[in-house]
Amino acid sequence: MKNRMGGPERDWRPRATRAAARCARTTAVLGLLSLALWGAPGVAANTTPDQAERIYGRIAGIPAPPAMLQQMTQTDPLSAALLATQDPAFYNDTIRNLATPWTNRDQTVFAPLNDYTATVIGMVPLVASNATWGPLAYSVMFGLMFAICLTLVLVPVLFFRAPHG
């Protein structure tokens, strides 16, 4: 797309906004791909051992124990994925890797554990607990995300745009 001067259109959104949009598109594509591969949850068949091993490895980040693989092969893929989230490694690795890039300028997962990441990891069990604590946990997590976006994006932009003198 061209701008009114005839040059290429540049995306002026902040890097965090572009990354969030890219993440949303990727999530939508992966969701559609999983529906295409596994079918709708109402008509899904049992999970094969190979599928169960891949699901567990991708969600928990570690190899699955044989007892868990046996349990996962007796359910549909969605239930097998929910079983994989019950492993403590899911909270230690996967959730940390999802939350940590929001907290540093380089958006790397190799940043040390900080308050934001620890809070998000602590709020994840509350989301599924009951109707009272779930909305509260969502509010706290998204409030933290909003505050971090303000801190890492809006404050530096306003600082550099302000007249210095």
Side-chain angles (χ1 to χ4, degrees):
M1 188 171 190
K2 298 204 179 242
N3 62 15
R4 41 182 196 168
M5 303 295 278
E9 188 73 29
R10 181 163 179 204
D11 191 0
W12 292 100
R13 294 177 296 170
R15 183 176 9 157
T17 304
R18 290 191 309 258
R22 194 170 44 247
C23 180
R25 285 192 306 267
T26 304
T27 304
V29 167
L30 289 175
L32 290 174
L33 182 63
S34 67
L35 278 176
L37 290 176
W38 290 325
V43 295
N46 286 348
T47 310
T48 65
D50 184 47
Q51 281 179 328
E53 193 171 344
R54 281 184 299 159
I55 290 171
Y56 196 90
R58 288 181 184 166
I59 291 178
I62 60 172
M68 181 61 74
L69 281 177
Q70 179 65 28
Q71 190 177 2
M72 289 173 71
T73 55
Q74 297 171 358
T75 63
D76 61 293
L78 181 61
S79 299
L82 290 174
L83 286 172
T85 61
Q86 294 174 1
D87 191 300
F90 171 72
Y91 294 107
N92 294 338
D93 295 328
T94 307
I95 298 295
R96 182 181 56 84
N97 289 342
L98 288 173
T100 302
W102 283 91
T103 64
N104 58 66
R105 179 170 284 150
D106 298 331
Q107 295 183 345
T108 179
V109 296
F110 300 111
L113 185 67
N114 54 30
D115 294 341
Y116 171 76
T117 306
T119 303
V120 169
I121 291 171
M123 291 290 167
V124 169
L126 282 179
V127 169
S129 64
N130 62 30
T132 303
W133 292 105
L136 176 69
Y138 277 122
S139 299
V140 169
M141 286 191 295
F142 286 107
L144 283 170
M145 281 195 301
F146 183 73
I148 285 177
C149 288
L150 285 178
T151 304
L152 294 179
V153 177
L154 187 65
V155 170
V157 166
L158 291 177
F159 177 76
F160 285 113
R161 292 197 50 134
H164 298 288

